[in-house]
Amino acid sequence: MKKLLFLLLVFCGSFCLSAQTFSRNTDTLTKSTKNVFYKFLIKKGSITPQNSQNFVVKIRPNVSNTMNDNEYKIHHSNFTLLELNQKEQIDFFLEINGDSLVDRTRHLNLNLILHDTLNDVEVTTDSLKIVVNPIAIYHNEYRYLAYIGTNFDLVDGVKANNLFFAANIYLEPENNKMGWFVSLYGNRSFTSTDSVTVLARDKRIERLNDSTVLAYRETAELIRSNVSDNLGAHTSFLFPISTINSSTKLFFAPSAEFIWRRTETKSDFNSGIPLDTIQREGRLQIPFVENENSSTTYTSEFSFSIGPGVILAHQTKQMSVRLHSSAGYISSYLPQNRTIASVLEENYNNKNDIYFNGRIWITEATSGITLQAEVTNTLINPRPFYTVTLSKAINFKSLGSIFSPITSR
């Protein structure tokens, strides 16, 4: 009898190993504070016994599991191989019980069993290995924050009148669903300064007659500084990539951003040395014109960017650190001319480019002190911008207290 059972086992194993399989052989899950259901599929195989109605498909945990039986539940009813062949695939659900404590990573291995009810012989036809990560601690206090503070500038130092503000909504994906991040902000970029020697510059122009002017020229050093004030709106959709530990996660974050950038350019001519005096044709309505040594012009530009990116988030009760990085397509609308006023220009040129952007937000939970840094640049026509801010983070639910009366009536 034992020999017969052995022969049946070998015979069944030779053709039943392909009778049915899991739709995938590995998976990674993460515990939550609530019970979570995960769907899996059992698929029809390529080889099927003729008397498939006598074979029953079962799911059985492996003895090598490191997950306790009271931490999960398999929602599955045994069915015959004939039913699977007719439906081609049948699903079952794995329920992971909610947990509020941080635990080590567990392993749950499930075997797919084919039971020959006539001969009472069982064969394992497939296996599913599941890694169950510990609960990902999510700190709700970092979801809705407003920031107010000041910008750093390596040229001018920290100025209280260089206001920085932002409003962030950061919703991490739960149970492998999509999350969302949006930021509305206003900041100031670092001042960039360059200098060049101007070999011939008209310092003074005098009228000689109706058709001739006299130009006094000089050689001078031109120092030009640019500083940009930015108003922006950024949004990203968050998709889980990896849970490094209970507090650190990596997300795929396709991003889109719109920026209105107002740039102030100051030009200063220093160390002027007289060069020569020349006559040339020209008309001048007044006796003379004295060119200023200093001038200021303004430009207003608009840009829209879109592209893939990643967000690395580390959040604990003490600290929140979020690193954003993205690259892609940017379309910028630049004015044709600079103006001496801050009004918007009428004529713009469109330029397309490839951009890179990196941001980091570091928030200390107790005080709300936040350090934010950003760098952005373009590939074809490089235009680097750097921003560093120091601010105080305020939870949205606390904003109402700012406007409450000093005394109660």
Side-chain angles (χ1 to χ4, degrees), residues 106-269:
R106 304 284 183 172
H107 296 272
L108 177 61
N109 300 322
L110 303 179
N111 291 334
L112 193 58
I113 306 296
L114 193 61
H115 181 201
D116 183 353
T117 57
L118 292 180
N119 301 293
D120 195 22
V121 177
E122 292 184 348
V123 176
T124 300
T125 63
D126 201 5
S127 61
L128 172 60
K129 297 181 180 180
I130 302 175
V131 177
V132 182
N133 289 319
I135 179 174
I137 299 178
Y138 188 70
H139 296 280
N140 293 332
E141 57 267 26
Y142 300 119
R143 283 189 172 191
Y144 310 101
L145 292 178
Y147 304 82
I148 186 167
T150 187
N151 297 270
F152 285 109
D153 195 318
L154 296 181
V155 175
D156 298 328
V158 179
K159 289 185 177 181
N161 60 341
N162 292 342
L163 177 67
F164 163 75
F165 68 90
N168 289 358
I169 299 175
Y170 178 77
L171 305 176
E172 286 191 354
E174 296 183 356
N175 302 331
N176 293 326
K177 296 181 181 179
M178 184 185 74
W180 184 49
F181 170 70
V182 63
S183 178
L184 306 176
Y185 62 88
N187 59 27
R188 169 169 286 193
S189 302
F190 281 168
T191 301
S192 62
T193 304
D194 56 28
S195 61
V196 63
T197 300
V198 179
L199 298 180
R201 168 184 178 256
D202 291 342
K203 173 61 177 174
R204 179 185 173 94
I205 301 175
E206 295 181 356
R207 185 180 64 187
L208 293 181
N209 50 52
D210 291 340
S211 60
T212 307
V213 296
L214 186 64
Y216 298 88
R217 302 195 304 173
E218 67 175 9
T219 300
E221 180 186 21
L222 172 60
I223 299 177
R224 180 176 288 135
S225 60
N226 297 278
V227 61
S228 297
D229 291 302
N230 313 298
L231 289 176
H234 172 99
T235 185
S236 297
F237 297 102
L238 310 183
F239 300 91
I241 295 179
S242 175
T243 300
I244 301 174
N245 55 49
S246 60
S247 301
T248 309
K249 287 162 279 188
L250 181 65
F251 304 102
F252 173 63
S255 305
E257 186 167 18
F258 173 79
I259 299 177
W260 172 20
R261 180 174 286 117
R262 180 177 177 271
T263 301
E264 176 188 85
T265 301
K266 292 183 178 180
S267 301
D268 294 309
F269 291 92

Side-chain angles (χ1 to χ4, degrees), residues 298-356:
Y298 298 89
T299 58
S300 292
E301 62 180 272
F302 305 88
S303 64
F304 174 79
S305 59
I306 187 170
V310 294
I311 291 180
L312 180 64
H314 172 75
Q315 300 191 142
T316 66
K317 291 183 179 180
Q318 294 78 30
M319 187 75 66
S320 170
V321 180
R322 296 200 299 266
L323 176 64
H324 304 217
S325 179
S326 64
Y329 166 81
I330 185 171
S331 179
S332 299
Y333 294 86
L334 306 174
Q336 293 182 354
N337 303 299
R338 297 178 180 270
T339 64
I340 59 174
S342 58
V343 297
L344 298 181
E345 294 81 359
E346 294 182 356
N347 299 316
Y348 283 83
N349 294 323
N350 176 235
K351 289 187 177 180
N352 301 320
D353 214 321
I354 304 298
Y355 82 94
F356 166 80

Side-chain angles (χ1 to χ4, degrees), residues 31-36 71 96-100:
K31 282 187 176 182
S32 177
T33 55
K34 301 178 181 179
N35 290 16
V36 182
E71 295 182 89
I96 303 296
N97 295 340
D99 197 354
S100 59

